[in-house]
Amino acid sequence: MPVNGSEMNNTTAEFAHALARHAPGFQVALDAATIARLTDYFEFVGVWNARLHLVAPCAPAEFAMRHVLESLVALRFLPPNASVVDVGSGAGLPIIPCLITCPSLRATLVEAAQKKAIFLREALSKLGLRDRAQVRAERFEQTSAPPAEFVTCRALERFTEMLPRLVAWSPPASTLLLFGGPTLQEKIERLCLPYSSVLLPKSNQRFLFVVKHAQAV
């Protein structure tokens, strides 16, 4: 991940360039100020990643596309002023890029790992998001779900196994925005949950599943 000096500058420049270049392919509109804030987030993840292993090491362009721009696909389904619960936030994906890009979004980040929860609080503070987002440092199934219209989840331990619990835990009438592949899709179908899916750009097997809570239908 990034280091100090010219390598840091080159790395962040590559990340910012990749965001600007590939955003249209993800149907995402980013102005210069938003790209600058997303770059701040990328740098902050880089500083913490060596200690916490937030994401697997990857090139700046891959981080821009696979982590940030893929996360921003969720904004197609999040109306202005939406309230979101992000479960298993980890590095803050998908919710922190969404909070940066959509100024009216509000969120609760649920993260069981205490050290990652500390990272998330520091990231929200550094990025000026503390007035619209808070962190719960606990397992989702050991707490009650806060009121929210949407639940997002991109990386949850034993995701397919935990999916029934996540659906049961989610606020009634909420919509779940879940990132995953064919295995997650099979689980959604076995649970007979109504859903639609979006194939993520530049991927053959990664999808955003838009799942309606059982009480919403």
Side-chain angles (χ1 to χ4, degrees):
M1 296 299 286
V3 295
N4 293 327
S6 60
E7 183 178 348
M8 172 72 85
N9 293 334
N10 292 338
T11 300
T12 55
E14 183 181 345
F15 171 81
H17 175 73
L19 278 183
R21 178 182 178 185
H22 295 288
F26 286 78
Q27 300 179 35
V28 173
L30 299 176
D31 58 24
T34 302
I35 289 175
R37 294 187 70 203
L38 290 169
T39 301
D40 289 341
Y41 165 67
F42 166 70
E43 290 181 339
F44 197 69
V45 172
V47 170
W48 284 69
N49 203 52
R51 285 177 283 167
L52 298 185
H53 306 290
L54 297 165
V55 295
C58 62
E62 182 180 356
F63 192 103
M65 290 185 287
R66 174 146 192 189
H67 295 309
V68 174
L69 290 174
E70 280 194 2
S71 293
L72 293 178
V73 172
L75 289 179
R76 299 182 199 176
F77 305 96
L78 295 173
N81 302 304
S83 56
V84 183
V85 182
D86 186 56
V87 177
S89 295
L93 300 164
I95 197 60
I96 287 182
C98 291
L99 286 164
I100 290 172
T101 306
C102 181
S104 66
L105 199 65
R106 293 168 289 111
T108 300
L109 288 64
V110 180
E111 172 53 53
Q114 296 295 320
K115 291 182 179 179
K116 290 181 180 179
I118 292 171
F119 158 79
L120 291 169
R121 292 190 180 103
E122 292 294 324
L124 293 176
S125 180
K126 177 178 176 60
L127 297 165
L129 301 172
R130 291 295 294 270
D131 61 331
R132 294 190 286 120
Q134 61 179 325
V135 178
R136 286 191 181 183
E138 51 198 341
R139 297 182 64 88
F140 78 86
E141 67 270 29
Q142 295 176 351
T143 183
S144 59
E149 303 158 282
F150 297 88
V151 174
T152 55
C153 187
R154 188 171 185 266
L156 185 65
E157 186 178 0
R158 308 193 322 275
F159 200 167
T160 56
E161 178 184 335
M162 297 298 291
L163 181 60
R165 297 185 190 181
L166 179 63
V167 173
W169 175 87
S170 299
S174 60
T175 297
L176 289 78
L177 304 177
L178 310 176
F179 293 78
T183 302
L184 183 62
Q185 182 175 15
E186 292 173 4
K187 186 68 172 182
I188 292 169
E189 292 177 349
R190 285 202 300 271
L191 294 172
C192 298
L193 296 170
Y195 78 98
S196 60
S197 63
V198 175
L199 178 65
L200 295 170
K202 302 185 181 297
S203 172
N204 294 322
Q205 291 195 318
R206 290 197 304 280
F207 296 85
L208 173 59
F209 298 106
V210 183
V211 181
K212 292 296 183 180
H213 192 286
Q215 296 185 29
V217 295

